[in-house]
Amino acid sequence: MRERLLRESRTPWRGLRRLLWVALFASGGLGLFVMSFSISAGNSSVGSDLAIQIGAVLLFGGLLWFDRDRGSD
């Protein structure tokens, strides 16, 4: 119990933060999925919108990666 409390004191709000990263990553992924099917159906799309979706997926995926549990500190 003490170790768990010490770990929580070193990384406060970690669970909430990871939940936020997962939600934003899923939102970017869903947007990219919908946009890619829209483009494949022949609808035109602005390149900057596609870049924003790709950037969001990469950014929040990277934040999830860096916020992972690394085992022993």
Side-chain angles (χ1 to χ4, degrees):
M1 178 70 165
R2 177 178 164 81
E3 184 178 324
R4 183 176 156 255
L5 289 173
L6 286 173
R7 187 174 56 228
E8 178 66 27
S9 70
R10 284 190 300 256
T11 58
W13 304 100
R14 183 169 192 195
L16 184 62
R17 192 173 60 231
R18 288 195 47 92
L19 181 66
L20 180 67
W21 298 153
V22 167
L24 292 172
F25 177 75
S27 174
L30 183 62
L32 184 61
F33 179 75
V34 168
M35 188 172 289
S36 65
F37 272 104
S38 175
I39 291 171
S40 70
N43 296 336
S44 64
S45 179
V46 180
S48 63
D49 291 344
L50 187 62
I52 289 171
Q53 293 299 323
I54 292 171
V57 168
L58 291 176
L59 173 70
F60 295 121
L63 287 172
L64 272 171
W65 175 259
F66 288 122
D67 202 20
R68 71 188 188 279
D69 188 17
R70 295 187 178 135
S72 63
D73 290 325

